[in-house]
Structure formats: C-alpha cells, structure tokens
Amino acid sequence: MEAGAEQGDIAARLEDEALIVDVDGYEGPLDLLLTLSRRQKVDLRRISVLQLAEQYLTFVEAARALRIELAADYLVMAAWLAFLKSRLLLPPDPTEEGPSAEDLAAHLAFQLERLEAMREAAGRLMGRDRLGREFFARGAPETQAIEKRTQHTATLLELIQAYARLRTKDEFRPYAFDRTDIYPLETALERLRGMIGEAVQWSDLAGFLPPGWRAAGTRRRSALASTFAASLELAKQGRLDIQQTETFAPIRVRHRQGEAR
Amino acid sequence: MSDETKPGPGLFPVPPMGEQERMIEAVLFASAEPVTSAELAKRLPEGCDVAEALVHLRSRYAGRGVHLVRVGDGWAMRTAADLGWLMRTEQVETRRLSRAAIETLAIIAYHQPVTRAEIEEIRGVTLSRGTIDQLMELEWIRFGRRRMTPGRPLTFVVTDGFLDHFGLETPRDLPGLKELRE
Amino acid sequence: MSDETKPGPGLFPVPPMGEQERMIEAVLFASAEPVTSAELAKRLPEGCDVAEALVHLRSRYAGRGVHLVRVGDGWAMRTAADLGWLMRTEQVETRRLSRAAIETLAIIAYHQPVTRAEIEEIRGVTLSRGTIDQLMELEWIRFGRRRMTPGRPLTFVVTDGFLDHFGLETPRDLPGLKELRE
C-alpha cells in the first residue's frame, strides 16, 4: 500500500514537472485547465474555480520564468482568469451589469465538464470494436455491378438525314437546324474566359469577337450578343468588371484582380 | 487484446465444435483468398478438428445464398451459382448509333424488304456483321421473307419496335426524298 | 440478357420468403460495403419484402461467426467481434489519429450537425484544416446542411462509413448519448 502511495506521489511530482516543461502537450488553455483541475481530485461540478485560476496563473508564471514562450491564447486565458480571480475575491459591485463572477466561474466549470465529457466519449468511441480490427468485412467481395449496358439510340431526324445523305450525296439540313451564322453562348463563354486574364486594362468587348465574326452583319451581331451575355456571366462570377461610359458607348471589360480562379 | 485472453496451445480446453465452426466461418468470410485446411488449423486453437468443422459448415450453408466451396487447395465462401444474376447491376449508357448503323437502318426502313446486297449497293461498302447484329439486338430490324430470286437471299424489314421508337405508325410515314428536298 | 429470362414486374410470381432471404444473403455476402434496403429492393424481383427477409436473415446469423448488421440506411455482413483475434492477418494498420482528430470526431458525432465554431468553442482551440481533412479523407465525416443562422455556416455530420467502422447502427446508438443530452 505504502509503496503504491509513494509511487503515486512520484507520479504526481513527475506530472507537475512535466506540466511546467511540456507546454506543447496541451491542446490549448482549456485543455491545460482541465488537466490542472484533475489535480483537485474532486468532481468537476464542485471544482474551486478560484483555486484553479491560481494554479493556472502559477503555471503561466513558471513558464515565463523558464522563458518558455506561451501562445497568445494561453495569455488571454491568464488575463481573463486574473480578472475572474479578483472579481471572485472582491465583494460584488451592485452597480455592475452583466454576469456575476459566480456566473462566469460556473460557465468555466461547465466548459471544462463538457470538454471532459467529450474526452470520455472520444475514449469510449475509440475503444469500441472497430471494422478492420475486431470485426471484418468480406475479404473477397464479388465484383457486383459493372454490367455496362450500352443503349444505342437515334432520332428520326438522324435517320432521315442519313438516308438523304446516301441518296443525294449531299447533306440535307432543314432550315431550322442551320446554325452556321449563330455564335453559341457556350463558345463565347469559353473564349472570353480564356482571354479575360490578359485584359488588365479596360478593353472594348468587340475586341474579343472571334476572327471571321467581326465584319458587320448577322454574324457580328450574333457574336457580339453572345460575347456580351458571356461577359455578364463572368461578371456574376466575379471574374471581370464591365463599364459603359454612356448609352450606346462601347462596352468595356476588365479582368477583376485577385479573383484568378 | 492481450495474449492472456487468447486460447493458447494446450493450456485451454479445445473449443466446442459449434465454436470451431464459427471461427472457420469468420476466417473464410474475411479472407481475400481461399484458405487451406492447414492454414485454418494453424489459425484455430490447438486441438481443433478443422476437417469436421468444415463438413458441418458446408452442410449449414447447403441450399443457402452462399456456399462453402473448395477452390484448389483451399476453402472459400461463394455465391450460389443460381443467384449469379443478382450480382449484376445494369448501368445503362446511352450512346448514338454509329453512322454505318444509322445508314443501314435508314435503308432498311425506306426499302424494306431489302437484301444485304442491296444495302451494300446503296451504301457502296460491305455491310459488317456487327452492324446487323446491333440493329437486331435493338430489335429495330428483323428478318423478312426470303427474296424469290436466285440464291433466295434473306431480306430485312423494320419491326414494330422501330416504329414505336421513332414515333411512326407505318414505315410509309417516313418522309419521302422529295419532301426532304423542299 | 433478354427480358424473358429476367423476372419482370408482375410477370412472375414473387419468390417465397426463404428464397428472398437467400437472395439478400448472396448480395450482402458479395459486397464489402453496406447495401441499402432501397438498393436491395431494386436488385430483388418485384414484390419482395426486403424488410421481412432481413429480419429472418438477421436471426439466422445470430450467434454465428458472421453477423448481419445494420449500418445507417444500409445492411452488411460482418464477422463477430469476439473472433477478432483470429483475423490477425486481415487486420489493417490504421494511421494513428491525433488527439485533436479524435476529439473533433467525437464532438461531431455527439453534437451533429455541428459548426466549426461550436467545435472550437468546446475544445477551446482553433480547429486546423488538417484535422477536418483527415476525418474527411477517412470518410467518417461530411458536410451537413448549412445552419440557418447569420453567415449560414457549414455544419459537419458523421457518415455511414463512420457508423460502419465503429459498429454503430445509427448515430443514436453512440454510447452515453442520452446521458449527455440530459
């Protein structure tokens, strides 16, 4: 028994020393407080926050004496605990608003209790029987699925076009499908997205029209409309800014800095 | 788990047969490869009768959805052969028909009943076996009557499935060449 | 496969319950991952009662070397945990999780859906990107819905992979959850 108690003392002393030296072992001030509170050997609900604050401040002093640099959040906690300590020691000031010192202390105790509960929960979780350690999945799963069935399909138009192509040796194209003079929005978007990075200064939107679509006429109109729509889309995405000095003036665009993505 | 809780050779009573069966069941289930009897004997506590446990386990899985089977030197759990179809899941991927297929289909639709030679004449290329197979598989074409000409060649016609897919009532609803030109 | 040989909706009688059980047994044995009831229903012929067949199958495997376990919305066959010592060769070395990762995981599991700020408040330290990344990589956590509070922060929730790994049927089965909630 005695030997056991002695060993316990040694362990406690070693822990004390470790506490002073090993600041890195703590996951923040709350973790340090929780470790310190365990040394009070009482239920967290009955912990003396005052005593805890003193322990913490002693620790911080000791670390300073050893010229151990403490992270800012440890110091913030120290300042707060020093404040709390003075409030707990002084008689309450009836004119002061906000939570009382006792409330603050109770909240700290609650935080410690909650962290402790999560620690225990984490421990229980990791201690469970686990897949790949205590229990196992099928070692030789049979390849299920992956029967890719390709469903071929065709439309009536494709069928008719194919036949017309065969019989007339030229491409049959109903008028509605004639899109040679239409510049699609997708194409405009792709082109503008690729080029906008270089537009460090305000540039005329018309300068972004593809070659072959610049001469006046339906092709230019279509390309301009699509490129404008594309610029709106990119402006919405935050990639460019749009400017027009007055009605009917040329629309100008510029790459938005810092949004290169 | 500490070694103390593990049955050691000779130190602990041999587990009952039901337990041995459980152990083999678990090992075979979790193993990526078939496991030999010798390997099983090595894994199980000393004194186990692997051969007997395997017999029990095998009969336990008889008629079930999975069986205990011999694979080479080893033992493994495998899906019952009659349930193999369950292991397949279909992933339907829609793809356009090849140009050859669509042209062939168009010719059959416009000229049915039509022989292979006629299709080849119109397209100017030989008709591959795969193209016909594909259209047959889609159930868009089928064999028609044999042509009453020398050699009695087979003809192809389109099916009701074809009409259904393309939204036609009869093959005559297909637009004529003249209409196509307008 | 042509439609004739495959049991089609309503065309064939529903297989007897024993047969449905066999089918589910085969599918679950063949898969290393849990299979959802919906997926099972899709695989089995129309009209099968997956829920009932699962009940039968579960009791059939009770006490055996392999169990039928529920994992969130899915079902899986898993070896009995008491036989883990037999599986030394199958054991996978898992990367040791940092304390931060373990605690963060527990906080997410017990408080889900939970925001980053809430995790940080409980632990009293900033949550590093690496911790979240590690848990995401393990596929133990994923993003939940955004919280409908100012800033609409993201939330984290645990996945079915988490449940599977820790042998939990649902997140409600976490040990001590009730006590914590009180």
Side-chain angles (χ1 to χ4, degrees), chain B residues 6 22-23 25-26 29-31 43-45 60-61 63-66 77 79-80 82-83 86-89, chain C residues 1 21-23 25-26 29-30 43 57 60-61 63-66 77 79-80 82-83 85-87 89-90:
Chain B
K6 199 175 72 177
R22 279 184 82 225
M23 293 175 184
E25 188 179 30
F29 175 86
S31 173
R43 286 232 214 161
L44 263 55
R60 189 185 281 275
Y61 276 96
R64 305 291 319 159
V66 267
M77 317 275 281
T79 310
D82 66 313
L83 297 179
L86 271 170
M87 301 304 130
R88 277 175 246 138
T89 36
Chain C
M1 192 187 289
E21 213 191 300
R22 278 185 81 226
M23 291 176 185
E25 189 179 30
F29 256 80
R43 296 256 198 131
L57 197 62
R60 183 182 290 273
Y61 277 93
R64 300 276 300 277
V66 180
M77 303 298 298
T79 62
D82 68 307
L83 299 177
W85 57 272
L86 268 169
M87 251 57 86
T89 47
E90 274 79 25

Side-chain angles (χ1 to χ4, degrees), chain A residues 98-108:
Chain A
S100 69
E102 279 70 27
D103 288 343
L104 293 175
H107 183 70
L108 181 63

Side-chain angles (χ1 to χ4, degrees), chain B:
Chain B
M1 196 177 287
S2 74
D3 273 2
E4 282 83 355
T5 60
K6 199 175 72 177
L11 290 173
F12 292 82
V14 175
M17 184 46 69
E19 200 54 24
Q20 298 183 30
E21 218 189 298
R22 279 184 82 225
M23 293 175 184
I24 294 181
E25 188 179 30
V27 169
L28 293 183
F29 175 86
S31 173
E33 306 285 332
V35 187
T36 62
S37 305
E39 172 73 16
L40 285 169
K42 237 195 294 178
R43 286 232 214 161
L44 263 55
E46 192 109 344
C48 285
D49 187 341
V50 168
E52 198 194 326
L54 279 166
V55 170
H56 286 299
L57 195 62
R58 192 170 204 173
S59 70
R60 189 185 281 275
Y61 276 96
R64 305 291 319 159
V66 267
H67 294 158
L68 174 61
V69 295
R70 252 210 107 100
V71 182
D73 291 344
W75 296 88
M77 317 275 281
R78 291 281 183 266
T79 310
D82 66 313
L83 297 179
W85 60 271
L86 271 170
M87 301 304 130
R88 277 175 246 138
T89 36
E90 274 186 348
Q91 267 178 4
V92 180
E93 192 191 347
T94 317
R95 216 185 283 169
R96 307 258 116 216
L97 271 187
S98 67
R99 186 170 162 148
I102 192 113
E103 285 181 7
T104 304
L105 182 64
I107 293 167
I108 296 171
Y110 277 91
H111 294 265
Q112 64 166 351
V114 62
T115 66
R116 167 184 288 264
E118 287 160 353
I119 297 170
E120 290 179 343
E121 205 209 305
I122 295 174
R123 289 195 60 228
V125 281
T126 347
L127 184 56
S128 83
R129 179 78 227 160
T131 303
I132 289 291
D133 284 350
Q134 191 182 25
L135 294 173
M136 288 272 191
E137 229 167 83
L138 283 163
E139 296 182 11
W140 283 349
I141 64 166
R142 61 178 175 80
F143 292 119
R145 291 188 172 190
R146 287 185 182 275
R147 183 70 54 78
M148 287 306 148
T149 53
R152 299 186 9 100
L154 273 170
T155 64
F156 297 103
V157 294
V158 292
T159 64
D160 287 351
F162 166 87
L163 297 176
D164 201 33
H165 180 90
F166 291 97
L168 300 165
E169 292 214 347
T170 74
R172 283 183 301 283
D173 290 345
L174 281 167
L177 268 191
K178 242 195 216 132
E179 291 164 279
L180 292 182
R181 302 248 67 185
E182 272 158 16

Side-chain angles (χ1 to χ4, degrees), chain A residues 15-26 32 59 68 74:
Chain A
E15 199 187 324
D16 280 2
E17 283 162 23
L19 268 184
I20 290 174
V21 182
D22 184 18
V23 193
D24 289 342
Y26 296 96
L32 173 56
F59 173 89
I68 293 170
Y74 286 89

Side-chain angles (χ1 to χ4, degrees), chain A:
Chain A
M1 271 309 274
E2 259 190 65
E6 204 175 28
Q7 269 176 9
D9 282 355
I10 293 167
R13 240 183 297 138
L14 283 175
E15 199 187 324
D16 280 2
E17 283 162 23
L19 268 184
I20 290 174
V21 182
D22 184 18
V23 193
D24 289 342
Y26 296 96
E27 303 248 334
L30 214 52
D31 181 30
L32 173 56
L33 273 171
L34 188 59
T35 311
L36 290 171
S37 70
R38 285 212 194 92
R39 294 198 293 168
Q40 290 191 19
K41 299 202 169 64
V42 291
D43 192 303
L44 274 176
R45 284 166 218 239
R46 288 186 291 134
I47 195 124
S48 159
V49 172
L50 185 61
Q51 196 188 329
L52 189 59
E54 275 163 0
Q55 281 175 299
Y56 187 94
L57 294 170
T58 311
F59 173 89
V60 171
E61 273 313 307
R64 270 201 189 134
L66 287 167
R67 292 164 187 258
I68 293 170
E69 240 177 84
L70 286 176
D73 47 350
Y74 286 89
L75 300 178
V76 170
M77 178 63 92
W80 188 80
L81 285 174
F83 161 78
L84 179 63
K85 185 180 144 191
S86 66
R87 291 268 313 262
L88 284 169
L89 290 172
L90 293 171
D93 180 353
T95 62
E96 205 162 87
E97 285 178 18
S100 69
E102 279 70 27
D103 288 343
L104 293 175
H107 183 70
L108 181 63
F110 162 75
Q111 278 181 295
L112 292 175
E113 215 184 308
R114 189 173 55 180
L115 181 59
E116 170 114 306
M118 277 303 108
R119 287 267 156 91
E120 280 166 11
R124 276 198 301 265
L125 190 63
M126 299 318 276
R128 285 182 69 82
D129 292 335
R130 286 160 65 180
L131 182 65
R133 287 197 351 183
E134 282 81 21
F135 63 93
F136 295 83
R138 185 73 200 271
E142 283 167 62
T143 25
Q144 310 206 5
I146 328 304
E147 174 157 303
K148 274 212 178 143
R149 189 159 67 94
T150 312
Q151 169 106 62
H152 281 94
T153 187
T155 63
L156 187 59
L157 183 70
E158 286 171 319
L159 189 78
I160 296 164
Q161 283 174 340
Y163 188 66
R165 190 167 56 225
L166 283 168
R167 302 306 279 172
T168 63
K169 301 293 176 204
D170 67 41
E171 205 72 18
F172 153 76
R173 231 180 323 100
Y175 182 72
F177 293 87
D178 192 343
R179 298 205 158 201
T180 52
D181 284 340
I182 292 178
Y183 191 62
L185 175 60
E186 292 74 29
T187 317
L189 250 176
E190 205 173 297
R191 181 176 168 82
L192 192 59
R193 201 180 277 138
M195 294 175 73
I196 194 63
E198 292 152 29
V200 190
Q201 299 194 325
W202 289 111
S203 324
D204 190 338
L205 191 65
F208 292 91
L209 299 190
W213 296 76
R214 291 176 183 163
T218 47
R219 278 166 75 84
R220 181 185 168 89
R221 272 209 304 281
S222 169
L224 196 57
S226 296
T227 305
F228 177 59
S231 74
L232 291 178
E233 178 59 32
L234 291 182
K236 202 169 84 186
Q237 293 173 11
R239 299 195 201 190
L240 57 78
D241 294 314
I242 306 183
Q243 186 195 61
Q244 189 178 28
T245 49
E246 57 183 318
T247 318
F248 299 120
I251 294 163
R252 301 196 298 171
V253 292
R254 186 176 64 177
H255 180 229
R256 191 178 292 176
Q257 299 300 323
E259 293 286 336
R261 258 205 311 147

